[in-house]
């Protein structure tokens, strides 16, 4: 089974992507994208699973339990600044009503329901620049490991054309805190201009997984384990929305030892002792 999942035309509920733990063959992460026409309503919520509703574009009203958040969102597309999101605790059922044409990503993971619904406004999103030169990318931490959630980690990343991201290649597939944590992950890709493409490779040390993919606008790459670098060709800026979850809500990763020298900034390759 390929790790890449393509989006499709909206179904009757507006769903264009739907990745469940069952479909992915794992335990924690769920990811869905709905595309709604103005006035259309999507209802959701699951017992035992919390949700972060990331407004990719447009304006929506969200009702979560007894809370109502009116006319939230508003960005034109995913490249136009940080998202507005709504956090929904496990066991709280919600409704998304599109006040304009809108797209919403629904990120889910296990939870016990001991939080309250809330809006995560753009000004609440911690911004970060990572890397240098053609390894530079721009990170929007919606729910990082210091954020208030039970399992979910949610982040947006902008990678300029010609740059690399999730690089040097890193992994988080061992439950070995504090050295490394086990986190399943999805990458939801968008491109500007949208006819572009990017590349992602997912591979393990023993190469039991080794899949290199050309990804296009709207594709998802599932990362059950292994390293997972991304490259954006010249001329096409890349956005991706990461969703991570695992048995411990900490993001602790390990770089591929063969490429660790890049993170250290060594000018001429790894120190081989020669």
């Amino acid at each position: 089974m390929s790790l890449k999942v393509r989006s499709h035309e909206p179904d009757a509920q507006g769903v264009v992507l739907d990745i469940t733990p069952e479909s992915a063959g794992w335990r924690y992460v769920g990811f869905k994208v709905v595309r709604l026409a103005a006035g259309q309503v999507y209802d959701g919520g699951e017992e035992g699973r919390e949700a972060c509703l990331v407004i990719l574009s447009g304006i929506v009203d969200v009702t979560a339990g007894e809370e109502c958040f009116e006319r939230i969102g508003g960005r034109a597309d995913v490249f136009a600044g940080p998202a507005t999101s709504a956090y929904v605790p496990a066991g709280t059922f919600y409704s998304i009503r599109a006040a304009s044409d809108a797209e919403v990503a629904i990120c889910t993971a296990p939870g016990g329901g001991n939080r309250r619904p809330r809006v995560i406004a753009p000004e609440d999103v911690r911004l970060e620049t990572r890397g240098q030169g053609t390894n530079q990318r721009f990170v929007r931490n919606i729910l990082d490991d210091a954020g208030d959630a039970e399992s979910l980690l949610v982040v947006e990343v902008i990678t300029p054309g010609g740059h690399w991201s999730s690089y040097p290649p890193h992994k988080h597939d061992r439950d070995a805190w504090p050295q490394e944590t086990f986190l399943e992950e999805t990458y939801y890709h968008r491109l500007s201009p949208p006819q572009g493409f990017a590349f992602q490779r997912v591979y393990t040390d023993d190469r039991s997984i080794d899949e290199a993919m050309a990804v296009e606008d709207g594709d998802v790459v599932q990362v059950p384990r292994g390293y997972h670098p991304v490259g954006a060709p010249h001329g096409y800026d890349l956005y991706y929305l990461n969703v991570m979850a695992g048995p411990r809500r900490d993001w602790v990763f390990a770089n591929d030892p063969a490429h660790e020298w890049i993170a250290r900034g060594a000018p001429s390759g790894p120190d081989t002792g020669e």
Side-chain angles (χ1 to χ4, degrees):
M1 182 181 71
S2 174
L3 298 177
K4 182 172 72 174
V5 180
R6 292 194 179 277
S7 58
H8 52 75
E9 288 301 308
D11 65 14
Q13 292 185 303
V15 176
V16 299
L17 272 167
D18 189 6
I19 294 169
T20 66
E22 293 75 20
S23 70
W26 58 30
R27 293 182 57 191
Y28 297 97
V29 172
F31 183 74
K32 182 179 295 188
V33 175
V34 295
R35 187 182 304 158
L36 305 175
Q40 190 173 359
V41 175
Y42 177 85
D43 294 321
E46 296 178 73
E47 295 291 346
R49 293 188 69 80
E50 64 182 352
C52 182
L53 314 179
V54 180
I55 304 169
L56 301 172
S57 63
I59 300 171
V60 300
D61 301 326
V62 173
T63 301
E66 298 180 356
E67 301 283 350
C68 184
F69 309 119
E70 295 185 343
R71 298 191 65 81
I72 60 174
R75 66 179 178 178
D77 58 48
V78 296
F79 294 92
T84 301
S85 305
Y87 174 79
V88 182
T92 299
F93 292 86
Y94 61 84
S95 180
I96 305 169
R97 180 189 177 278
S100 69
D101 290 353
E103 285 187 294
V104 180
I106 301 169
C107 317
T108 69
N114 58 354
R115 300 289 194 281
R116 292 186 60 83
R118 72 183 191 277
V119 171
I120 304 170
E123 56 267 28
D124 299 326
V125 174
R126 184 173 64 85
L127 305 180
E128 183 182 355
T129 300
R130 293 183 190 155
Q132 298 178 348
T134 55
N135 196 36
Q136 190 174 77
R137 60 275 196 195
F138 305 97
V139 180
R140 308 162 179 169
N141 291 285
I142 296 171
L143 277 175
D144 61 13
D145 48 13
D148 187 18
E150 295 189 75
S151 296
L152 277 170
L153 297 163
V154 180
V155 61
E156 297 182 308
V157 179
I158 302 292
T159 306
H163 287 215
W164 284 85
S165 198
S166 296
Y167 192 83
H170 70 266
K171 70 180 182 73
H172 36 75
D173 59 11
R174 291 191 308 129
D175 188 9
W177 188 87
Q179 287 77 34
E180 188 175 342
T181 50
F182 177 85
L183 295 166
E184 301 163 352
E185 185 168 20
T186 54
Y187 276 68
Y188 172 62
H189 293 279
R190 300 298 295 267
L191 286 131
S192 178
Q195 71 270 24
F197 59 93
F199 295 100
Q200 184 158 24
R201 183 186 180 196
V202 181
Y203 67 98
T204 55
D205 287 312
D206 63 3
R207 301 305 192 264
S208 59
I209 295 177
D210 191 357
E211 188 170 341
M213 293 153 277
V215 293
E216 298 181 306
D217 192 58
D219 287 350
V220 166
V221 173
Q222 303 168 137
V223 183
R225 63 185 190 277
Y227 309 101
H228 40 276
V230 179
H234 173 78
Y236 292 98
D237 291 341
L238 173 68
Y239 162 100
Y240 55 79
L241 175 63
N242 283 143
V243 183
M244 293 182 281
R248 183 183 180 96
R249 194 172 178 270
D250 286 290
W251 181 56
V252 184
F253 62 87
N255 289 327
D256 184 336
H259 307 297
E260 174 68 32
W261 66 272
I262 296 170
R264 295 199 307 264
S268 58
D271 181 3
T272 62
E274 298 174 353

